[in-house]
């Protein structure tokens, strides 16, 4: 089934934005290969199915436990952030480089939350947390299949890998550790199973998850 041209434009914009850069918690890709299927609500196909997340991890020292964990309202809601302003003020007034490095570590850590099915184990939707760069690579795959196989005379042609029936799974391959971790993405080489219709009625809401986990009223604690 061909991809909606408006959806192609939206995903293309997402690819440009991100290429540089189920349970109580969103899952992350494990070591090695993780096979997933992207889920886009058929009832709202032009609504972004992902949610940007920014988090401040406030610690007394860089390797210590967080004293407060607060979502960045600028990243999530496009609203001014008093916490971000306070962190910048602390950086500007740091008395030494060690303090400045600590204050910089409180800056926004960004990721992307999206609903997926993890294959082949389950058909129940969960939320997955990806690095912005990994998500951008996936969006590049979506737009590449949508446009490279497109008939120039038919803008509705092309291949929609997000289609619940005829779409394709994506494989994320994680290698390395710590700062040397890298994620590669590719289309699953074998045929992909259709998404069960009932999966869409069970899809968790990425924004509600972000609100619940990272906007719990710890803003004043973080400022203190």
């Amino acid at each position: 089934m061909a991809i909606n041209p408006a959806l192609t434009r939206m995903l293309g914009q997402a690819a440009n934005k991100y290429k540089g850069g189920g349970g109580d918690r969103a899952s992350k890709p494990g070591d090695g290969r993780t096979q997933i299927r992207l889920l886009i609500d058929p009832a709202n196909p032009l609504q972004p199915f992902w949610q940007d997340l920014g988090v401040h991890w406030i610690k007394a020292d860089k390797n210590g436990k967080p004293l407060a964990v607060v979502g960045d309202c600028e990243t999530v809601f496009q609203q001014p952030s008093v916490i971000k302003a306070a962190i910048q003020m602390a950086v500007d007034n740091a008395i030494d480089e060690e303090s400045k490095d600590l204050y910089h570590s409180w800056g926004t850590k960004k990721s992307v939350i999206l609903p997926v099915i993890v294959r082949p184990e389950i058909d129940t939707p969960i939320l997955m947390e990806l690095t912005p760069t990994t998500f951008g690579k996936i969006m590049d795959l979506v737009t590449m299949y949508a446009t490279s196989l497109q008939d120039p005379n038919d803008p509705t042609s092309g291949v929609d890998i997000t289609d619940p029936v005829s779409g394709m799974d994506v494989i994320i391959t994680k290698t390395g550790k710590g700062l040397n971790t890298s994620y590669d993405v590719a289309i699953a080489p074998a045929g992909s199973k259709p998404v069960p219709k009932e999966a869409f009625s069970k899809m968790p809401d990425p924004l509600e998850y972000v609100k619940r986990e990272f906007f719990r009223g710890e803003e004043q604690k973080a400022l203190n």
Side-chain angles (χ1 to χ4, degrees), residues 3 8 141-150 155 157-161:
I3 192 168
T8 301
L141 274 182
V142 175
T143 53
M144 180 184 72
Y145 272 79
T147 58
S148 64
L149 301 177
Q150 191 176 75
S157 63
V159 175
D160 180 5
I161 69 170

Side-chain angles (χ1 to χ4, degrees), residues 38-54:
L38 304 178
L39 295 179
I40 297 179
D41 185 357
N44 298 287
L46 298 184
Q47 280 290 106
F49 59 92
W50 67 92
Q51 174 61 51
D52 289 335
L53 173 61

Side-chain angles (χ1 to χ4, degrees), residues 5 20 27 29 36 40 44 67 79 81 83 87 91 109 115 117 123 131 135 161 163 177-178 186-188 190 220:
S27 298
I36 65 171
I40 297 179
N44 298 287
L67 303 176
Q79 297 175 353
S81 169
I83 294 176
I87 292 172
V91 170
K109 305 298 189 295
I117 285 177
D123 274 328
T131 68
F135 183 67
I161 69 170
D163 185 271
K177 297 288 185 180
I187 294 296
Q220 190 59 51

